[in-house]
């Protein structure tokens, strides 16, 4: 079983009814749903409808498949998704920092990953060059020299 | 050159700490081999034929004498006393121990160097003209733009796991392109529009490798401030839609080809329109901040062609030769740009010893404000040498074996490490280079042949840029034996007055290694016999045609 964490520690999962995008399109109703987005589905596919979900799980079928980073960022930055954004699948320690910057707030850490190492990874860097979901301003708009 | 402030340094220091931790976890068995792979690659470490290889970034080919000394120290302390300059302006160490790589990176961080994203499926080191900033022909100095791209691409949160590697090159010289931007995933040509505003002509989808393709124009004029958002948009489209099922079809060139440039442009513009006016837009303040790192050094007021130079030239043929090939005009009167060639016979192209590196650092301190450049032709450059010191520099460089007066000529070959080092190689490349250098060692003959690029790669990955050599040599595997395929007519677009980049065409069946000097000789003889007065190898080839060369080499035209 994957360990569910946020940037502070282990958290309990609130079970929600999970739907795929296809299922939801077939019957677009229900409250507090959790959308499962596979890595070949883009944020633009769902668009503004993202707000219908309490949680969106973005799948990383393999840690080296980086599509989920774009999906997460677009859901947050373009479509204003405010619900819970969860990374699921092959979620490893050394990708957590990037995931956090792209707007994920919970992480279904693969079960063999060491919890303390994972939590430490969230503070790998104290400064970033680019704008991201956590900070709309890139470093060049923040530098104080 | 760019000097780190506290933010840049902190970020790099944290990177060193991060990788130390990752290496420790790997060595404790907490990270599986395949999961460690991208982590080490993004820190420049390949596992090669005999040992790991560490590739250190030289951002857009710019380094200073202290950094050169630090590299020499790495070569001495952690390697076998030498280093290899690559065709992507980076430097490689062939023999470090895997466990020591974090220490090497810690040492390098002290001189603001690193191996960040020099490998892996991420945005790689941005490359540019090795003469950037010191030649009169450029529209603007491209280095500040490269530095801005470097910062934007460093640990980009969204683009660390792209379908494949991603290379960006920048050129700012009209009518000439030493950065070979058409051969990159994104090529940026810095231009000015009719109103005199700076912007970029953007090419996308170029690349060498298995499927060599020239980049296609996606935007004819992108205003200066939109640089980063436009790059974000292109790579975001690629990250979402580039193929991930087949690594040979995963580069952006395949996506561009599949979608067509029109559709690609539509997708990119749609993406870009949503972010272009946001906080990611470049500010004039940032441009000014970065540009101030690239102001001219304190040049003296000098005049061109001083007496001492003229007389030394008249008295010494060797010096005159070196001047004519390895020294080029500088934007400032009385100064010159000097290329130190790493093409000594008997040494693999691009290789330098730690001692040479220390001496090069000395030369740079004494004669060139402590600055250096690395070039895609695997040479080094002293960018700011006073003309009255050229004779002096030549004598010193000659003693060091760095003054082979053959820049731009046949024996200034580009050659990848090949089968002697590289685990991916089909064939060795260095012995081919050496055999050709040994065969064609007559300077009069080389000068008579004129401008000629001969590039050698040990496999399809094309690190030796064989596709864009006027003569290209590719190592192939024929039933377990090493053979070499020859192509003709490639061009990087880096030659004055000839920016028509092109991909070479394969001549025919491949040859055994010991035949290669003869094959090259046949091609050259044919050129010499058929050229018109003043016609370069490439011009003659383009006029006479591929089939005639084919006939000359294989004995029949078909
Ligand atoms: S071209 Fe092939 S053999 Fe040569 S360095 Fe690149 S991968 Fe290795």
């Amino acid at each position: 079983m994957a360990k569910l964490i946020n940037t502070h520690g282990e958290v309990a999962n609130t079970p929600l009814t999970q739907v795929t995008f296809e299922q939801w399109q077939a019957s677009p109703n229900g409250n507090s749903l959790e959308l499962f987005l596979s890595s070949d589905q883009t944020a633009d596919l769902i668009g503004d409808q993202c707000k219908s979900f309490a949680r969106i799980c973005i799948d990383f079928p393999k840690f080296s498949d980086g599509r989920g980073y774009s999906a997460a960022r677009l859901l947050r930055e373009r479509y204003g998704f405010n619900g819970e954004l969860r990374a699921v699948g092959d979620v490893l320690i050394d990708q957590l920092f990037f995931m956090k910057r792209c707007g994920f707030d919970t992480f279904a850490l693969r079960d063999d990953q060491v919890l303390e190492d994972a939590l430490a990874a969230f503070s790998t860097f104290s400064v970033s060059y680019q704008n991201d979901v956590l900070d709309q301003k890139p470093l060049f708009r923040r530098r104080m020299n | 050159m760019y000097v780190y402030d506290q933010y840049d340094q902190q970020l790099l220091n944290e990177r060193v700490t991060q990788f130390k931790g990752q290496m420790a976890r790997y060595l404790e068995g907490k990270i599986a081999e395949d999961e460690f792979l991208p982590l080490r690659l993004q820190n420049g470490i390949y596992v090669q034929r005999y040992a790991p290889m560490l590739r250190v970034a030289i951002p857009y080919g710019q380094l200073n004498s202290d950094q050169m000394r630090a590299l020499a120290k790495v070569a001495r302390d952690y390697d076998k006393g030498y280093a290899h300059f690559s065709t992507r302006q980076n430097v490689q160490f062939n023999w470090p121990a895997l466990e020591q790589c974090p220490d090497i990176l810690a040492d390098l961080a002290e001189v603001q160097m690193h191996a960040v994203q020099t490998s892996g499926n991420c945005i790689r080191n941005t490359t540019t003209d090795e003469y950037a900033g010191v030649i009169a022909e450029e529209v603007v100095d491209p280095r500040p733009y490269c530095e801005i791209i470097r910062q934007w691409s460093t640990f980009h949160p969204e683009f660390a796991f792209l379908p494949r590697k991603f290379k960006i090159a920048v050129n700012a010289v009209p009518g000439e392109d030493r950065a070979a931007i058409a051969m990159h995933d994104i090529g940026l040509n810095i231009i000015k529009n009719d109103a005199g505003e700076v912007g970029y002509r953007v090419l996308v989808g170029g690349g060498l490798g298995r499927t060599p393709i020239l980049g296609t124009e996606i935007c004819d004029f992108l205003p200066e401030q939109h640089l980063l958002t436009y790059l974000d948009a292109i790579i975001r489209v690629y990250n979402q839609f580039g193929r991930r099922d087949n690594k040979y079809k995963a580069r952006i060139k395949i996506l561009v080809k599949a979608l067509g440039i029109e559709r690609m442009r539509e997708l990119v513009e749609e993406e870009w329109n949503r972010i272009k006016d946001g906080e990611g837009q470049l500010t004039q303040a940032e441009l000014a901040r970065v540009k101030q790192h690239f102001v001219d050094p304190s040049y003296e007021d000098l005049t061109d062609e001083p007496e001492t130079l003229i007389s030394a030239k008249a008295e010494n043929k060797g010096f005159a030769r070196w001047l004519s090939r390895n020294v080029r005009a500088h934007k400032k009167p009385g100064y010159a740009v000097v290329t130190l060639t790493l093409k000594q016979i008997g040494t693999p192209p691009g290789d330098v010893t730690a001692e040479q590196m220390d001496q090069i650092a000395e030369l740079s301190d004494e004669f060139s404000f402590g600055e250096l450049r690395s070039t895609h032709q695997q040479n080094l450059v002293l960018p700011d040498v006073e003309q009255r010191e050229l004779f002096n520099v030549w004598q010193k460089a000659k003693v060091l074996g760095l003054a082979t007066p053959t820049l731009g000529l046949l024996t200034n070959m580009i050659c990848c490490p090949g089968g002697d080092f590289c685990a991916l190689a089909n064939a060795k490349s260095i012995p081919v280079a050496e055999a050709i250098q040994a065969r064609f060692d007559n300077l009069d003959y080389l000068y008579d042949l004129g401008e000629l690029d001969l590039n050698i790669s040990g496999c399809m990955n094309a690190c030796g840029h064989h596709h864009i050599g006027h003569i290209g040599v590719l190592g192939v595997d024929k039933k377990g034996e090493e053979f070499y395929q020859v192509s003709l007519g490639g061009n990087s677009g880096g030659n004055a007055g000839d920016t028509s980049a092109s991909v070479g065409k394969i001549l025919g069946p491949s040859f055994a290694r010991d035949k290669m000097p003869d094959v090259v000789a046949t091609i050259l003889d044919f050129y010499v016999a058929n050229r018109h007065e003043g016609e370069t190898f490439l011009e003659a080839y383009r006029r006479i045609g591929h089939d005639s060369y084919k006939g000359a080499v294989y004995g029949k035209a078909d």
Side-chain angles (χ1 to χ4, degrees):
Chain A
M1 248 316 260
K3 286 187 261 302
L4 187 66
I5 61 169
N6 63 17
T7 57
H8 303 295
E10 223 167 332
V11 288
N13 180 37
T14 315
L16 301 176
T17 309
Q18 191 180 77
V19 292
T20 62
F21 188 64
E22 293 79 4
Q23 287 166 340
W24 187 77
Q25 272 187 313
S27 70
N29 43 43
N31 284 324
S32 293
L33 291 178
E34 169 183 282
L35 175 70
F36 179 89
L37 198 66
S38 65
S39 71
D40 57 0
Q41 292 176 313
T42 62
D44 287 335
L45 182 74
I46 312 154
D48 293 324
Q49 295 164 304
C50 66
K51 292 185 178 145
S52 320
F53 304 99
R55 178 190 298 148
I56 299 179
C57 296
I58 296 181
D59 185 36
F60 289 82
K62 188 84 192 97
F63 74 96
S64 52
D65 182 339
R67 288 176 281 192
Y69 298 100
S70 289
R73 234 184 131 169
L74 291 174
L75 286 173
R76 288 286 195 223
E77 291 180 345
R78 175 164 317 144
Y79 298 109
F81 178 66
N82 285 325
E84 182 185 338
L85 198 53
R86 182 179 294 181
V88 303
D90 204 20
V91 178
L92 309 183
I93 290 168
D94 296 291
Q95 283 75 52
L96 291 175
F97 189 78
F98 290 131
M99 289 176 173
K100 170 179 125 175
R101 290 185 60 195
C102 287
F104 288 100
D105 41 24
T106 59
F107 312 83
L109 191 64
R110 202 176 68 188
D111 54 4
D112 63 344
Q113 304 287 292
V114 178
L115 182 65
E116 307 92 79
D117 292 343
L119 296 176
F122 287 117
S123 41
T124 305
F125 295 100
S126 55
V127 50
S128 294
Y129 282 126
Q130 311 78 5
N131 47 322
D132 57 26
V133 174
L134 304 179
D135 194 333
Q136 284 185 16
K137 290 189 193 302
L139 182 63
F140 64 76
R141 290 181 188 266
R142 288 182 274 124
R143 265 184 210 267
M144 291 188 291
N145 284 333
Chain B
M1 62 183 273
Y2 189 75
V3 179
Y4 283 12
D5 65 8
Q6 75 269 23
Y7 297 102
D8 304 301
Q9 190 67 52
Q10 190 177 346
L11 197 57
L12 183 54
N13 294 347
E14 288 171 352
R15 173 61 155 199
V16 168
T17 307
Q18 177 195 37
F19 188 58
K20 232 177 209 146
Q22 289 170 335
M23 179 67 85
R25 281 163 43 226
Y26 167 71
L27 294 173
E28 285 162 23
K30 286 182 179 167
I31 308 182
E33 197 68 50
D34 66 319
E35 288 160 10
F36 185 60
L37 178 81
L39 307 181
R40 68 166 162 75
L41 288 177
Q42 300 208 4
N43 285 284
I45 303 163
Y46 279 83
V47 172
Q48 286 293 25
R49 189 152 291 209
Y50 304 109
M53 183 265 275
L54 176 67
R55 179 183 292 153
V56 176
I58 299 179
Y60 39 96
Q62 173 111 14
L63 76 167
N64 62 33
S65 54
D66 286 341
Q67 293 176 325
M68 186 58 100
R69 284 190 194 93
L71 293 172
K73 191 165 180 320
V74 170
R76 218 175 271 122
D77 294 353
Y78 300 97
D79 203 295
K80 295 187 176 177
Y82 69 96
H84 171 78
F85 283 86
S86 82
T87 53
R88 300 211 63 256
Q89 302 184 304
N90 291 324
V91 61
Q92 298 176 176
F93 295 98
N94 282 315
W95 307 97
L98 185 64
E99 318 76 68
Q100 289 192 322
C101 287
D103 298 331
I104 300 177
L105 295 177
D107 287 359
L108 290 174
E110 287 176 21
V111 291
Q112 312 192 340
M113 293 193 96
H114 56 78
V116 171
Q117 292 168 213
T118 54
S119 182
N121 295 334
C122 51
I123 305 165
R124 303 288 190 87
N125 184 22
T126 296
T127 51
T128 192
D129 192 332
E130 56 254 32
Y131 304 138
V134 293
I135 53 173
E137 303 93 304
E138 64 194 11
V139 171
V140 290
D141 183 348
R143 294 172 301 167
Y145 301 87
C146 293
E147 175 59 27
I148 286 167
I149 295 171
R150 184 194 73 79
Q151 298 192 10
W152 158 84
S153 64
T154 299
F155 315 139
H156 197 297
E158 195 180 336
F159 304 139
F161 295 95
L162 296 171
R164 201 76 176 85
K165 60 188 168 185
F166 204 93
K167 300 175 182 178
I168 302 173
V170 184
N171 175 44
V173 181
E176 210 173 344
D177 179 13
R178 273 173 295 271
I181 65 166
M183 309 295 173
H184 288 76
D185 296 285
I186 292 179
L188 297 168
N189 214 344
I190 306 183
I191 51 177
K192 277 189 181 163
N193 65 9
D194 293 341
E197 296 155 340
V198 171
Y200 323 87
R201 175 171 175 257
V202 186
L203 307 182
V204 69
L208 300 173
R210 199 163 289 248
T211 323
I213 308 180
L214 301 179
T216 318
E217 181 182 289
I218 186 164
C219 179
D220 59 358
F221 186 82
L222 179 73
E224 190 178 34
Q225 70 273 23
H226 294 305
L227 175 64
L228 301 182
T229 50
Y230 200 81
L231 294 177
D232 268 323
I234 294 179
I235 303 180
R236 185 172 278 170
V237 168
Y238 170 56
N239 189 39
Q240 296 180 94
F241 303 110
R243 281 181 66 171
R244 290 173 184 269
D245 59 330
N246 178 343
K247 80 175 227 187
Y248 300 114
K249 296 196 159 43
R251 294 288 289 269
I252 195 173
K253 61 191 172 188
I254 306 291
L255 177 67
V256 174
K257 229 177 141 186
L259 294 172
I261 188 67
E262 305 298 329
R263 178 70 187 135
M264 183 73 192
R265 186 179 296 119
E266 248 173 59
L267 287 173
V268 168
E269 291 198 344
E270 197 179 307
E271 196 58 54
W272 180 55
N273 280 323
R274 302 193 268 204
I275 53 176
K276 73 190 192 51
D277 298 316
E279 301 275 6
Q281 188 181 106
L282 208 48
T283 60
Q284 279 305 317
E286 173 66 356
L287 275 163
R289 183 187 77 86
V290 178
K291 280 182 182 174
Q292 76 182 1
H293 287 273
F294 297 94
V295 293
D296 284 346
S298 39
Y299 292 127
E300 286 191 48
D301 273 326
L302 301 171
T303 49
D304 277 332
E305 299 274 320
E307 258 324 297
T308 48
L309 176 66
I310 293 171
S311 56
K313 198 161 41 173
E315 283 157 25
N316 196 314
K317 191 170 176 211
F319 176 58
R321 268 197 161 131
W322 179 76
L323 273 185
S324 75
R325 294 303 331 173
N326 296 20
V327 177
R328 91 182 296 289
H330 195 281
K331 67 178 180 185
K332 186 80 187 156
Y335 283 82
V337 185
V338 171
T339 298
L340 300 171
T341 42
L342 309 182
K343 301 292 163 75
Q344 219 178 343
I345 293 182
T347 314
D351 275 17
V352 266
T353 65
E355 290 65 42
Q356 283 175 314
M357 290 161 87
D358 279 334
Q359 298 289 334
I360 290 166
E362 289 298 303
L363 283 179
S364 145
D365 278 338
E366 197 178 341
F367 298 106
S368 193
F369 300 97
E371 292 211 359
L372 287 158
R373 309 290 177 79
S374 57
T375 83
H376 75 282
Q377 292 186 323
Q378 305 174 288
N379 294 316
L380 291 168
V381 168
L382 295 171
D384 297 296
V385 180
E386 291 176 11
Q387 291 176 10
R388 60 188 180 194
E389 297 287 4
L390 283 170
F391 188 68
N392 219 341
V393 171
W394 174 66
Q395 286 182 306
K396 296 192 176 198
K398 223 166 77 135
V399 174
L400 294 172
L402 303 170
T404 329
T406 53
L407 190 64
L409 302 181
L410 171 69
T411 53
N412 181 60
M413 277 171 268
I414 293 180
C415 175
C416 80
D420 289 292
F421 298 101
C422 175
L424 302 171
N426 284 326
K428 292 190 181 187
S429 48
I430 293 169
V432 179
E434 285 179 344
I436 295 172
Q437 277 174 335
R439 169 78 167 261
F440 303 98
D441 63 348
N442 181 315
L443 280 179
D444 290 323
Y445 180 63
L446 292 174
Y447 276 65
D448 177 62
L449 286 174
E451 295 281 334
L452 222 169
D453 293 343
L454 190 149
N455 299 354
I456 309 175
S457 302
C459 80
M460 266 307 185
N461 287 315
C463 304
H465 297 181
H466 65 277
H467 297 300
I468 52 174
H470 303 153
I471 301 177
V473 176
L474 166 67
V476 292
D477 178 282
K478 253 193 184 172
K479 301 198 187 94
E481 281 194 65
E482 298 187 356
F483 273 73
Y484 299 87
Q485 189 180 69
V486 175
S487 55
L488 294 179
N491 186 30
S492 67
N495 308 317
D498 185 4
T499 46
S500 49
S502 55
V503 169
K505 198 169 158 194
I506 296 166
L507 198 57
S510 51
F511 305 96
R513 189 186 306 155
D514 58 356
K515 293 280 178 302
M516 286 307 295
D518 287 340
V519 172
V520 173
T522 310
I523 293 168
L524 296 176
D525 288 346
F526 186 75
Y527 156 63
V528 170
N530 292 285
R531 68 181 163 186
H532 290 164
E533 180 74 31
E535 205 174 36
T536 66
F537 180 86
L538 186 65
E539 287 161 357
Y541 167 83
R542 285 180 174 166
R543 174 179 59 80
I544 299 167
H546 189 80
D547 288 346
S548 305
Y549 281 82
K550 190 172 179 163
V553 171
Y554 294 99
K556 59 175 190 326
D558 60 2

